[in-house]
């Protein structure tokens, strides 16, 4: 009601004192009466009772949308009227007793006045405009996404745009179970955000649990409906990773040979999700991964192609965790006694300084032991070759990977032997030629008698010579073949 709101200049009256007080009261009364008379255009309408009303009587406007207002009066011949608001308004229509306005882009709650005057009397009525924003986006965050067992994780739900906050309820859910519920009815609105945060201790059972958040906006008390919206499901991952992976490998790897190696991670959860990578140097190995209980392991086969020191490494990862273990390995060669470095037949020249030629191959360098007639023979010391050194030597090369043996036949031959045998052959040949010449000569001698006797003798002599030759020949062979 805005009766008597027009400012008025006080009229002057004569005497002062008590009379003045009386006059002042009268003045006010007169002023009111005068005002009513003066502002009433219609004659005799002062007694008229009129109403001012607004439609709609409850205004619930979605954020940013517009609203039509019909401000009307029952006054048959109304004076000035309209609405008072700081919102952008446009009069779209009017009748004798009403005015219709369009309010655009309503973004805030406000109170609007609708007023009309009738016979100099102004009346108004107000309308509460409530702006609402249904929860469209509901954001759920799990921090961290992978949480170590017995550590705390945070579940946070946040609705970026929702109004009115007082009518919002946020519910956190784990699976289908309510974890926490929050409403914003009794809280100071200014300091509030549509947000809920709780901390939970991670248990194994929570692994792979679905977390979600539900936002509910109940506008029934404002003449509106019930809106709800849910966040996307977030899956919590829980892990345990307290140990370093362990590599199992023989400290001796043989070159070119397939060797089984493995990498094991104990006290890990979930074991079946552990990822393994194994390398020998830069070369990645193909793995066969298994798990049982809280242990996961990977088996692989390595085939080292280079001797020397190398590194076997195992990289293990699970969720945010990653660990690498390295293990030095030594790649070895089994001992070998090859014909090129350790010939199986060796000829020594009698009287010269000789060594048994045998260098074993392998990594680590093998040790070599040679025996001769069951006695260890120090092959490293050069010795003067004698006939006695002829024979078969047995050499054995060994290293950490094993041993190999080989028989080496040594023949000692005299340096002069060759020359003497050549002379011997010449003598024999000469002798043979001589004998044949004599035989031929005797065969053609004119004397027949002696011829009969002589060939016998001659033959006997020849026989003697031949047998002698045979013996010599045999001796010569023996000498060669010993
Ligand atoms: C506004 O309200 C009055 C009174 O109820 C009604 O007569 C008039 O038709 C309304 N105007 C519109 C545009 O609805
Ligand atoms: C909505 O909020 C208003 C203001 O706090 C409150 O009076 C009303 O009861 C609420 N309505 C519901 C349904 O919660
Ligand atoms: C989690 O949600 C997915 C998809 O809605 C569903 O398939 C799965 O069974 C749920 N897991 C649990 C543990 O409830
Ligand atoms: C050869 O061996 C014999 C007996 O086996 C021995 O008496 C002789 O001294 C040895 N000779 C040499 C040069 O070693």
């Amino acid at each position: 009601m805005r009766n008597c709101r027009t400012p008025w200049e006080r009229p002057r009256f004569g005497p002062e004192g008590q009379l003045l007080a009386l006059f002042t009261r009268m003045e006010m009364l007169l002023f009111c009466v005068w005002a009513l008379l003066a502002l009433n255009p219609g004659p005799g309408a002062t007694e008229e009772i009129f109403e001012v009303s607004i439609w709609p009587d409850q205004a619930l406007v979605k954020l940013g949308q517009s609203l039509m207002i019909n401000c009307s009066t029952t006054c048959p011949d109304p004076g000035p009227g309209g609405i008072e608001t700081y919102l952008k308004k446009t009069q779209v229509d009017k009748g004798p007793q009403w005015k219709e306005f369009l309010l655009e882009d309503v973004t805030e709650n406000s109170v609007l006045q609708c007023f009309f005057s009738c016979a100099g009397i102004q009346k108004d009525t107000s309308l509460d405009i409530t702006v609402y924003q249904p929860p469209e986006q509901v954001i759920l965050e799990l921090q961290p996404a992978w949480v170590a067992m017995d550590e705390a994780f945070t579940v946070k739900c946040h609705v970026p745009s929702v109004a009115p906050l007082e009518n919002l309820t946020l519910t956190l859910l784990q699976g289908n179970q309510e974890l926490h519920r929050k409403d914003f009815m009794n809280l100071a609105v200014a300091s509030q955000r549509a947000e809920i945060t709780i901390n939970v201790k991670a248990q194994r059972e929570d692994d792979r649990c679905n977390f979600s958040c539900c936002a509910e906006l109940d506008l029934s008390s404002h003449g509106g409906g019930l809106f709800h919206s849910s966040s996307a499901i977030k899956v919590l991952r829980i892990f345990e990773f307290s140990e370093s992976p362990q590599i199992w490998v023989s400290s001796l790897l043989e070159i070119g040979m397939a060797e089984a190696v493995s990498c094991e991670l104990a006290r890990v959860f979930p074991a079946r999700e552990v990822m393994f990578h194994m390398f020998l140097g830069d070369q990645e190995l193909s793995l066969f991964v298994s798990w049982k209980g809280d242990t996961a392991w990977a088996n692989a086969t390595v085939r080292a192609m280079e001797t020397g020191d190398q590194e076997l490494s195992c990289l293990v990862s699970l969720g945010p965790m990653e660990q690498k273990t390295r293990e030095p390995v030594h790649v070895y060669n089994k001992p070998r006694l090859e014909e090129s470095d350790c010939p199986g037949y060796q000829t020594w020249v009698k009287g010269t300084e000789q060594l048994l030629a045998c260098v074993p191959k392998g990594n680590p360098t093998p040790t070599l032991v040679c025996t001769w007639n069951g006695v260890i023979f120090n092959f490293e010391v050069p010795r003067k070759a004698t006939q006695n050194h002829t024979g078969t030597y047995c050499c054995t090369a060994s290293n950490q990977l094993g041993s190999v043996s080989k028989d080496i036949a040594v023949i000692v031959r005299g340096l002069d032997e060759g020359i003497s045998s050549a002379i011997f052959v010449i003598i024999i040949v000469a002798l043979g030629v001589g004998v044949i010449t004599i035989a031929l000569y005797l065969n053609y001698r004119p004397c027949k008698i002696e011829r009969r006797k002589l060939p016998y003798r001659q033959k006997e002599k020849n026989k003697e010579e031949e047998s002698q030759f045979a013996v010599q020949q045999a001796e010569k062979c023996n000498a060669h073949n010993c």
Side-chain angles (χ1 to χ4, degrees):
M1 294 290 195
R2 292 186 193 177
N3 294 349
C4 311
R5 68 202 275 255
T6 314
W8 198 258
E9 195 167 298
R10 181 190 295 180
R12 293 178 188 272
F13 292 89
E16 297 170 36
Q18 289 188 343
L19 210 68
L20 181 68
L22 178 71
F23 278 133
T24 308
R25 280 196 202 108
M26 281 176 68
E27 176 199 348
M28 286 182 74
L29 187 71
L30 283 167
F31 161 69
C32 281
V33 170
W34 184 89
L36 283 167
L37 288 170
L39 288 173
N40 188 7
T46 37
E47 68 269 39
E48 212 167 317
I49 295 174
F50 72 102
E51 295 289 330
V52 172
S53 57
I54 192 160
W55 181 92
D57 57 353
Q58 251 187 336
L60 190 62
V61 189
K62 195 172 171 184
L63 181 85
Q65 293 204 333
S66 48
L67 174 68
M68 284 288 228
I69 299 285
N70 186 350
C71 179
S72 59
T73 179
T74 53
C75 177
D77 188 15
I83 58 170
E84 227 174 64
T85 176
Y86 61 83
L87 294 165
K88 190 191 164 202
K89 65 179 180 190
T90 319
Q91 191 179 318
V92 288
D93 204 358
K94 69 173 194 179
Q97 286 177 299
W98 54 270
K99 284 181 178 173
E100 196 180 33
F101 296 91
L102 174 68
L103 305 178
E104 284 176 285
D105 193 23
V106 183
T107 54
E108 272 181 69
N109 290 349
S110 63
V111 179
L112 176 145
Q113 316 284 344
C114 163
F115 66 91
F116 268 103
S117 63
C118 192
I121 300 171
Q122 186 177 308
K123 283 188 179 176
D124 63 14
T125 182
S126 64
L127 170 70
D128 285 333
I129 299 176
T130 306
V131 172
Y132 77 96
Q133 170 66 58
E136 272 155 17
Q137 209 188 353
V138 181
I139 299 165
L140 178 77
E141 283 169 39
L142 286 178
Q143 275 281 320
W146 281 82
V147 56
M149 206 159 77
D150 296 331
E151 303 263 307
F153 64 97
T154 303
V155 188
K156 179 176 161 186
C157 178
H158 163 58
V159 185
S161 175
V162 64
L165 205 56
E166 299 95 311
N167 295 114
L168 178 73
T169 308
L170 290 181
T171 311
L172 288 177
L173 297 162
Q174 178 172 357
N176 298 325
Q177 283 190 321
E178 190 179 310
L179 209 59
H180 197 74
R181 179 187 280 267
K182 181 181 181 182
D183 67 45
F184 300 83
M185 194 96 75
N186 303 318
L187 299 161
V189 178
S191 64
Q192 283 298 302
R193 275 160 51 100
E195 198 178 282
I196 175 172
T197 306
I198 59 165
N199 290 314
V200 187
K201 190 174 160 187
Q203 305 287 319
R204 261 193 197 202
E205 306 80 72
D206 299 333
D207 185 42
R208 292 186 171 276
C209 265
N210 289 341
F211 284 82
S212 61
C213 176
C214 178
E216 224 171 50
L217 186 68
D218 185 355
L219 299 177
S220 54
S221 56
H222 295 282
L226 181 70
F227 300 88
H228 51 82
S229 182
S230 284
S231 69
I233 287 174
K234 287 274 165 84
V235 178
L236 181 75
R237 296 313 316 270
I238 291 174
F239 71 91
E240 191 178 3
F241 192 125
S242 45
E243 296 198 351
S244 298
Q246 189 161 10
I247 291 175
W248 301 99
V249 59
S250 151
S251 58
L252 301 180
L253 290 185
E254 190 180 344
I255 194 159
M257 297 295 284
E259 284 270 356
V261 295
S262 68
C263 180
E264 186 186 285
L265 186 64
R267 289 188 53 204
V268 65
F269 174 84
R272 69 192 142 136
E273 283 178 53
V274 177
M275 307 249 279
F276 287 90
H277 289 281
M278 284 185 86
F279 301 88
L280 179 66
D282 299 333
Q283 175 207 348
E284 181 155 15
L285 310 177
S286 54
L287 305 176
F288 184 76
V289 178
S290 320
W291 58 275
K292 192 176 185 211
D294 281 353
T295 304
W297 66 93
N299 290 330
T301 300
V302 287
R303 196 185 290 271
M305 299 316 286
E306 273 171 48
T307 53
D309 288 344
Q310 292 195 29
E311 190 182 78
L312 190 69
S313 55
C314 180
L315 178 72
V316 177
S317 59
L318 174 68
M321 299 296 288
E322 194 174 276
Q323 269 224 4
K324 194 173 190 173
T325 298
R326 299 159 205 273
E327 187 73 34
V329 290
H330 312 282
V331 182
Y332 290 144
N333 245 344
K334 261 188 182 162
R336 277 167 298 144
L337 292 171
E338 291 176 354
E339 196 57 25
S340 55
D341 302 302
C342 187
Y345 292 92
Q346 299 185 19
T347 307
W348 292 0
V349 174
K350 200 152 110 188
T352 57
E353 294 265 308
Q354 291 288 351
L355 274 176
L356 191 63
C358 191
V359 179
K361 278 191 173 165
N363 183 292
T365 306
T367 55
L368 187 70
V369 174
C370 294
T371 56
W372 182 40
N373 297 331
V375 181
I376 290 176
F377 173 82
N378 189 353
F379 64 94
E380 281 166 328
V381 176
R383 60 198 65 215
K384 204 160 228 143
T386 68
Q387 205 65 48
N388 280 10
H389 291 124
T390 295
T392 301
Y393 295 74
C394 178
C395 288
T396 302
S398 323
N399 68 8
Q400 287 89 329
L401 284 175
S403 61
V404 65
S405 295
K406 186 173 184 174
D407 282 343
I408 301 168
V410 171
I411 297 156
V412 180
R413 182 186 289 156
L415 182 62
D416 47 347
E417 216 166 76
I419 304 161
S420 57
S421 55
I423 295 167
F424 185 75
V425 168
I426 292 164
I427 292 168
I428 296 298
V429 169
L431 241 141
V433 169
V435 167
I436 291 161
T437 312
I438 291 162
L440 287 174
Y441 169 75
L442 289 176
N443 267 349
Y444 293 100
R445 253 172 61 150
C447 178
K448 300 278 175 179
I449 307 155
E450 280 209 331
R451 202 184 141 201
R452 275 182 202 151
K453 287 179 180 173
L454 268 172
Y456 265 76
R457 281 189 197 152
Q458 195 65 40
K459 269 182 191 164
E460 276 171 2
K461 195 187 174 189
N462 277 357
K463 265 188 183 162
E464 267 177 40
E465 276 175 2
E466 271 170 25
S467 60
Q468 205 177 348
F469 173 79
V471 167
Q472 278 174 340
Q473 199 66 16
E475 273 177 345
K476 185 184 152 203
C477 273
N478 282 349
H480 263 282
N481 295 341
C482 271

